[in-house]
Amino acid sequence: MKREGFASRLGMIAAAAGSAIGLGNIWRFPYITGKGGGAAFIVIYLIFIVFIGMSCLLTEFVIGRRGQSDAIGSFLKLSRNKYWSVGGWLCVITVSLIFSFYIVVFGWTINYLVKSIFNIFADKTPQEIGILFSTTTSSVFSPIVYAYIGLGITAFVVVDGIEHGIEKCSKILMPLLFALMVILLLRSLTLPGAGKGIAFLLKPDFSKVTTEVILIALGQAFFTLSLGAAVMITYGSYINKKERMGSAVVQICFINCSISLLAGFVIFPAAFTFGINPGEGPGLAFVTLPNIFQQMTGGYYFAIIFFLLLTVASLTSTISMLEAIVACIREQIMLTRKQAIAIGITIVAILCIPCSLSFGPMNNTKIFGHTFFDICNLITSNYGMPIGSLIFVFFVGWFFGKDNVKDELSNSGKLPVRYFPYYLFTIRFIVPIAILIIFLTKLGVF
Ligand code: PHE
């Protein structure tokens, strides 16, 4: 059977950038930037993207394209040793846990899109908007129903395969996402408080930078590029053998970071204009913004555009998560795409229930002091993604053989890979050391 793959470079970039761009850019990035001192945080985050994220992404593409299989299969094939496949298993578990809490937030997003269409925020006081968010998330059934709607839409795209499902859909959704972003940006930058918001994003205040902020920036770099989560290995396996992977990685990272920054330029001018604290936290997108839209001329339309943007961004990410899981089930257990999707979404449909109930009846059910939702979030960003990435770079950097790596990156010698020594040095030393420092810091050694 011929392996499926991306038909065009544009489609491949759109799909991978679509995976990268998601709630992480539009929901998480602005609020952690708000807390981490604005520009100072952004500088650190960008350094991590350039020096760590890009090399990790390229490493996953190398494993996937060389292995020509799903995350577990590629690892097994390349290492010819079942112990290494632990790396593959770990990242598949990681992506399943991420998917389980991500789909809950995706559900809230769809719910808020519906609310904005029905103009629910109109004439509500800031307090009422806050209460609306907590009642929305703490109900028993409706958030699960919305999460299932999100899961259904995701499955609907993935069922059509790589070229006709994922690639085609990404080629439509990514330009749409960009257009929606530009509309919001034009509105935000013409608000009276725009200057202050822009200054916050551009003037670094290094006094807010603590060890914790640095760790958050690193975690964000992994999360935003969908690293250590099977996704980029799987997408890598669909990349054409003639494609230049090095430049694709640069483009994907550039698009991803631009969208995060643009999200900042949309949100902070609005927050400063309406006197809202940018360090608001996770409620920024669901509480602060509806408040702002409510006070703004044309806010009804801008609310719809914003939640549509968030929906589109989340969808291209959930598509990549489902595909990573489906590819493993298909190729490891030899099932059809439809059967694999049925199994994949059933697992996520079950796991997302306790994640959603963490905001309601299971609020007090704690595992090591955290709710189920927080556990999924913390385990994956603090351990799953960094450990997965560590295993990948370690394998490619030290065990796979320098010549094999160079051969893959240069398309068997057809491309010059001047960046190779730098890349090898990064994955051999910089990335492992950086990840070890994080762990030691977390364990309280420093
Ligand atoms: N990168 C996505 C975002 O920023 C999240 C994601 C993580 C997607 C892991 C796939 C795998 O929202």
Side-chain angles (χ1 to χ4, degrees):
M1 191 175 72
K2 191 178 171 292
R3 200 178 152 73
E4 288 179 273
F6 293 121
S8 66
R9 177 171 173 100
L10 185 72
M12 180 268 281
I13 303 240
S19 169
I21 297 168
L23 292 166
N25 304 61
I26 301 167
W27 172 60
R28 203 162 177 249
F29 176 81
Y31 83 70
I32 54 182
T33 303
K35 287 197 157 166
F41 176 84
I42 297 178
V43 171
I44 300 170
Y45 161 79
L46 290 178
I47 292 176
F48 284 146
I49 292 279
V50 172
F51 290 99
I52 296 182
M54 280 193 186
S55 304
C56 289
L57 181 55
L58 191 57
T59 303
E60 295 201 19
F61 280 174
V62 167
I63 299 176
R65 197 173 72 166
R66 189 81 171 184
Q68 287 297 303
S69 183
D70 60 284
I72 300 174
S74 293
F75 233 57
L76 262 177
K77 258 198 213 168
L78 300 188
S79 63
R80 297 196 202 96
N81 174 335
K82 64 176 190 309
Y83 294 112
W84 274 112
S85 68
V86 167
W89 280 101
L90 178 76
C91 67
V92 176
I93 295 173
T94 301
V95 75
S96 310
L97 293 178
I98 297 177
F99 202 175
S100 307
F101 75 84
Y102 202 93
I103 200 77
V104 173
V105 185
F106 185 21
W108 300 347
T109 308
I110 303 175
N111 187 332
Y112 266 63
L113 175 61
V114 174
K115 282 193 169 51
S116 58
I117 294 172
F118 286 103
N119 209 3
I120 302 286
F121 312 123
D123 306 322
K124 287 216 166 26
T125 62
Q127 215 190 5
E128 284 167 336
I129 291 185
I131 295 174
L132 183 68
F133 181 60
S134 49
T135 43
T136 304
T137 54
S138 65
S139 322
V140 176
F141 294 109
S142 90
I144 299 179
V145 171
Y146 275 104
Y148 285 180
I149 295 176
L151 206 51
I153 305 174
T154 309
F156 184 73
V157 176
V158 175
V159 82
D160 281 327
I162 312 306
E163 191 182 333
H164 301 291
I166 299 179
E167 180 168 353
K168 202 161 121 198
C169 179
S170 307
K171 280 206 286 204
I172 300 171
L173 292 182
M174 295 316 283
L176 173 67
L177 181 138
F178 199 71
L180 295 172
M181 195 66 148
V182 170
I183 300 175
L184 288 172
L185 195 64
L186 290 177
R187 172 66 227 180
S188 214
L189 294 183
T190 48
L191 287 171
K196 273 198 206 145
I198 296 172
F200 178 75
L201 273 174
L202 298 182
K203 268 201 217 120
D205 171 5
F206 282 98
S207 71
K208 290 229 175 63
V209 178
T210 55
T211 334
E212 203 195 334
V213 167
I214 298 178
L215 292 183
I216 293 178
L218 187 60
Q220 175 67 5
F222 282 112
F223 188 80
T224 194
L225 293 178
S226 315
L227 297 173
V231 166
M232 292 303 186
I233 296 190
T234 313
Y235 275 9
S237 74
Y238 302 138
I239 300 178
N240 189 298
K241 284 279 185 191
K242 294 199 193 88
E243 217 58 87
R244 294 158 160 257
M245 291 199 294
S247 64
V249 162
V250 176
Q251 286 167 357
I252 294 162
C253 291
F254 178 78
I255 300 173
N256 177 64
C257 293
S258 311
I259 294 289
S260 292
L261 291 177
L262 290 183
F265 281 111
V266 166
I267 288 170
F268 293 112
F272 279 97
T273 304
F274 296 101
I276 282 163
N277 174 16
E280 193 72 37
L284 192 67
F286 296 99
V287 180
T288 315
L289 285 180
N291 249 317
I292 293 175
F293 292 134
Q294 222 259 99
Q295 300 175 41
M296 183 161 111
T297 353
Y300 170 71
Y301 298 100
F302 291 107
I304 298 178
I305 296 175
F306 177 77
F307 287 110
L308 186 62
L309 170 78
L310 209 54
T311 304
V312 168
S314 317
L315 177 62
T316 48
S317 298
T318 53
I319 288 173
S320 71
M321 297 179 204
L322 183 59
E323 179 57 29
I325 300 173
V326 162
C328 282
I329 302 177
R330 275 179 75 197
E331 296 179 59
Q332 297 305 309
I333 326 183
M334 301 291 177
L335 293 179
T336 64
R337 176 168 281 278
K338 283 204 180 110
Q339 290 166 329
I341 291 179
I343 297 180
I345 61 173
T346 308
I347 298 172
V348 177
I350 295 170
L351 287 176
C352 81
I353 297 175
C355 285
S356 178
L357 296 181
S358 297
F359 296 88
M362 283 176 66
N363 197 356
N364 287 323
T365 313
K366 302 262 164 87
I367 312 166
F368 300 117
H370 298 284
T371 62
F372 197 80
F373 183 100
D374 290 340
I375 282 279
C376 289
N377 186 2
L378 293 176
I379 288 188
T380 52
S381 32
N382 290 353
Y383 302 99
M385 304 179 99
I387 295 179
S389 301
L390 186 65
I391 298 178
F392 302 153
V393 291
F394 224 74
F395 175 72
V396 172
W398 296 100
F399 293 91
F400 184 47
K402 210 164 112 182
D403 296 337
N404 289 334
V405 183
K406 196 163 180 187
D407 183 69
E408 192 56 41
L409 286 175
S410 64
N411 298 354
S412 305
K414 287 189 208 75
L415 297 174
V417 274
R418 276 184 287 273
Y419 62 84
F420 187 68
Y422 157 75
Y423 165 68
L424 197 65
F425 181 76
T426 322
I427 60 167
R428 281 189 167 175
F429 301 103
I430 310 234
V431 179
I433 291 174
I435 296 178
L436 281 179
I437 291 179
I438 317 178
F439 285 137
L440 295 180
T441 314
K442 275 193 190 133
L443 294 174
V445 177
F446 294 129

